[in-house]
Amino acid sequence: MKKMSNIYESAANTLGIFNSPCLTKVELRVACKGISDRDALSRPDPCVILKMQSHGQWFEVDRTEVIRTCINPVYSKLFTVDFYFEEVQRLRFEVHDISGNHNGLKEADFLGGMECTLGQIVSQRKLSKSLLKHGNTAGKSSITVIAEELSGNDDYVELAFNARKLDDKDFFSKSDPFLEIFRMNDDATQQLVHRTEVVMNNLSPAWKSFKVSVNSLCSGDPDRRLKVAIDFTASNGDPRNSCSLHYIHPYQPNEYLKALVAVGEICQDYDSDKMFPAFGFGARIPPEYTVSHDFAINFNEDNPECAGIQGVVEAYQSCLPKLQLYGPTNIAPIIQKVAKSASEETNTKEASQYFILLILTDGVITDMADTREAIVHASHLPMSVIIVGVGNADFSDMQMLDGDDGILRSPKGEPVLRDIVQFVPFRNFKHASPAALAKSVLAEVPNQVVDYYNGKGIKPKCSSEVYESSRTLAP
């Protein structure tokens, strides 16, 4: 188990950030609870600093305003960041006590920090975690980050407020008023939109005009699922031989593992329960050792799900010694298996789950006619098919399935309703970071998701209607 974990971590840790066209922009709202200062007799002046990791280094992106003498700050300052679905974007939120009139961190006290990925925040919409102090010790303080995806509407509303004859709340002087504007959400909760500056000693203040983004009122996030299928045909070579594509090196992940971790690390942020059905094809499986093209790699057909991508990795490594690699390379059965689950989802009339089938294979497809038929059928369903070619085989047929060079048709001549297949040869990324592979593999998925729901006339749910089940259905 220790070796499995090391292999998983060695592949996952190489994921980085690359420049590519931004999928969308995301607004992040931040609030903290239970902030404590070193000085028990006073309250802190907390400020949250957002940092992003690039090439192993943390860089400051932005910071909130400082809220004076507050242990439960709710910040009006929004963090606007570029969101890349196909990349791991690691974020760090640091809370500092900014005392006095300076904004420097050298004199400030570190009150706690939290690390996560942007994908985790976007997929959950609202992420709450404990703030860790130096030494990764957790206290009673916590931080909550709320994400809203911007719709592309760049409109702003400019507002200006003033007041007259406010109540005098001070004994020796006049009140120091400020104005807070809250948005009423669909679930009857309130959300801070803007906080004005404080006007000192004034009962008839005129606050400075300010702009509020219209985009902050819009959001939508269809649920996505990942299914994984791995090629176990004999063309991969004997797993005990170091030349085999399935060879399990004690410290280095093979090409299947590299591809699985690179793509899976991205997709798992968008799965609500982090349980992934994982299948194999083209092998003789115990106990009768009959050939199967859609067997569960944990050998539990009633529950083929694995806990997280690491669970898939461990199930893969555990099953290899127990089966016999065979053939042929038929992928139509596994496409049909996932299509059955996707077809059942359409009966809900909402299709709130979208299925992503990742196929890792080294061979030339031997059931091309059936595969074309299965893809044409699947193009009407809420699913996409990602194929990663492992090894040095002739993958020209795979390029045809991709459909980038023309419309894929079934043997009967029926065209696909929409392009749902993305093929990438792993050899093109053999000497690159797994993040580069993931970016190429997943580049078309967001548009495929949008095309499906647009074609069905299904609009994104508002935040109060988002599906929140912690359990997703296995095929």
Side-chain angles (χ1 to χ4, degrees):
M1 292 291 292
K2 184 176 181 180
K3 290 182 178 178
M4 293 178 186
S5 178
N6 289 342
I7 291 174
Y8 173 82
E9 292 175 1
S10 66
N13 288 339
T14 59
L15 298 175
I17 292 180
F18 287 77
N19 293 322
S20 64
C22 174
L23 173 61
T24 186
K25 288 185 179 293
V26 176
E27 287 183 343
L28 303 179
R29 302 176 184 271
V30 183
C32 300
K33 282 188 177 182
I35 301 296
S36 59
D37 199 357
R38 292 182 182 179
D39 184 359
L41 299 179
S42 64
R43 292 189 172 189
D45 302 325
C47 169
V48 176
I49 295 174
L50 172 62
K51 295 183 178 181
M52 183 173 289
Q53 191 178 71
S54 179
H55 305 291
Q57 301 293 321
W58 291 105
F59 297 93
E60 180 176 340
V61 176
D62 203 351
R63 61 176 65 184
T64 66
E65 73 274 21
V66 177
I67 299 183
R68 300 298 178 188
T69 62
C70 185
I71 62 173
N72 299 311
V74 178
Y75 296 95
S76 63
K77 170 65 181 292
L78 300 177
F79 295 132
T80 302
V81 295
D82 293 340
F83 171 51
Y84 304 89
F85 165 77
E86 68 274 18
E87 296 179 4
V88 174
Q89 294 172 267
R90 303 193 185 280
L91 305 181
R92 177 173 173 80
F93 296 85
E94 294 183 356
V95 184
H96 293 264
D97 180 9
I98 309 292
S99 58
N101 295 321
H102 62 78
N103 287 324
L105 296 183
K106 290 184 178 180
E107 301 85 358
D109 290 333
F110 175 71
L111 301 178
M114 182 271 284
E115 294 182 14
C116 62
T117 67
L118 181 56
Q120 288 173 326
I121 304 174
V122 172
S123 64
Q124 298 181 38
R125 294 294 184 93
K126 182 178 181 180
L127 178 66
S128 296
K129 297 182 71 174
S130 297
L131 286 169
L132 301 181
K133 297 187 177 182
H134 292 302
N136 289 329
T137 58
K140 297 180 180 180
S141 58
S142 64
I143 185 170
T144 298
V145 185
I146 299 176
E148 287 192 278
E149 296 181 51
L150 304 187
S151 65
N153 186 340
D154 294 330
D155 291 343
Y156 284 83
V157 176
E158 186 169 0
L159 301 172
F161 290 86
N162 58 64
R164 296 186 62 190
K165 299 181 180 180
L166 296 177
D167 286 342
D168 192 354
K169 301 297 184 181
D170 290 352
F171 186 74
F172 294 106
S173 63
K174 296 179 181 179
S175 298
D176 305 323
F178 62 91
L179 179 72
E180 290 183 339
I181 299 176
F182 291 85
R183 182 184 69 187
M184 295 301 297
N185 296 321
D186 294 332
D187 59 358
T189 61
Q190 298 183 29
Q191 185 167 299
L192 180 64
V193 175
H194 183 80
R195 181 186 293 116
T196 68
E197 76 281 5
V198 177
V199 178
M200 302 298 293
N201 196 29
N202 195 327
L203 299 182
S204 297
W207 292 282
K208 296 178 181 178
S209 63
F210 58 91
K211 293 181 179 181
V212 177
S213 170
V214 175
N215 271 320
S216 63
L217 304 177
C218 305
S219 63
D221 186 20
D223 194 19
R224 304 175 182 100
R225 290 194 62 186
L226 169 69
K227 292 178 180 287
V228 179
I230 304 172
D231 182 356
F232 287 99
T233 56
S235 59
N236 288 278
D238 188 340
R240 295 169 295 182
N241 191 314
S242 60
C243 296
S244 169
L245 294 172
H246 279 302
Y247 177 65
I248 301 299
H249 190 281
Y251 304 109
Q252 294 295 326
N254 62 31
E255 293 189 5
Y256 279 99
L257 283 173
K258 289 178 182 178
L260 172 62
V261 172
V263 179
E265 277 289 308
I266 302 293
C267 290
Q268 70 177 355
D269 281 343
Y270 304 91
D271 189 282
S272 57
D273 63 0
K274 305 294 186 291
M275 298 296 291
F276 300 128
F279 303 95
F281 57 92
R284 287 176 166 172
I285 61 174
E288 289 84 10
Y289 287 94
T290 54
V291 178
S292 175
H293 294 289
D294 58 356
F295 63 92
I297 64 173
N298 64 359
F299 298 121
N300 186 348
E301 295 299 328
D302 294 329
N303 183 17
E305 295 186 326
C306 302
I309 295 302
Q310 184 168 357
V312 178
V313 169
E314 293 173 355
Y316 161 73
Q317 293 182 313
S318 178
C319 80
L320 269 175
K322 302 174 184 177
L323 47 76
Q324 297 175 1
L325 275 60
Y326 201 67
T329 306
N330 294 346
I331 67 172
I334 193 63
I335 296 176
Q336 293 164 351
K337 192 181 190 78
V338 177
K340 181 180 178 181
S341 296
S343 180
E344 293 172 354
E345 179 66 20
T346 61
N347 295 331
T348 65
K349 297 182 180 180
E350 292 184 349
S352 60
Q353 296 188 67
Y354 192 92
F355 296 75
I356 299 176
L357 171 61
L358 170 63
I359 299 177
L360 309 176
T361 179
D362 85 309
V364 177
I365 296 177
T366 51
D367 64 340
M368 181 57 73
D370 290 340
T371 296
R372 287 162 53 196
E373 184 78 34
I375 291 173
V376 169
H377 171 69
S379 69
H380 294 260
L381 303 172
M383 66 177 287
S384 293
V385 180
I386 298 170
I387 305 175
V388 177
V390 178
N392 297 310
D394 180 5
F395 292 121
S396 55
D397 286 345
M398 301 289 195
Q399 302 289 356
M400 180 184 69
L401 296 179
D402 196 308
D404 288 345
D405 299 327
I407 299 177
L408 177 68
R409 296 178 181 272
S410 72
K412 299 177 183 178
E414 180 185 358
V416 291
L417 180 65
R418 59 193 182 89
D419 180 18
I420 65 168
V421 178
Q422 172 76 340
F423 169 74
V424 174
F426 184 83
R427 58 177 173 247
N428 292 357
F429 299 86
K430 200 168 185 177
H431 302 293
S433 164
L437 170 67
K439 185 174 73 170
S440 179
V441 164
L442 296 170
E444 297 182 9
V445 170
N447 285 336
Q448 290 173 356
V449 174
V450 172
D451 287 346
Y452 174 79
Y453 288 107
N454 281 343
K456 293 294 182 179
I458 301 175
K459 297 182 179 180
K461 295 181 180 180
C462 61
S463 46
S464 65
E465 300 172 321
V466 172
Y467 180 72
E468 295 180 348
S469 171
S470 63
R471 175 69 180 171
T472 51
L473 297 177

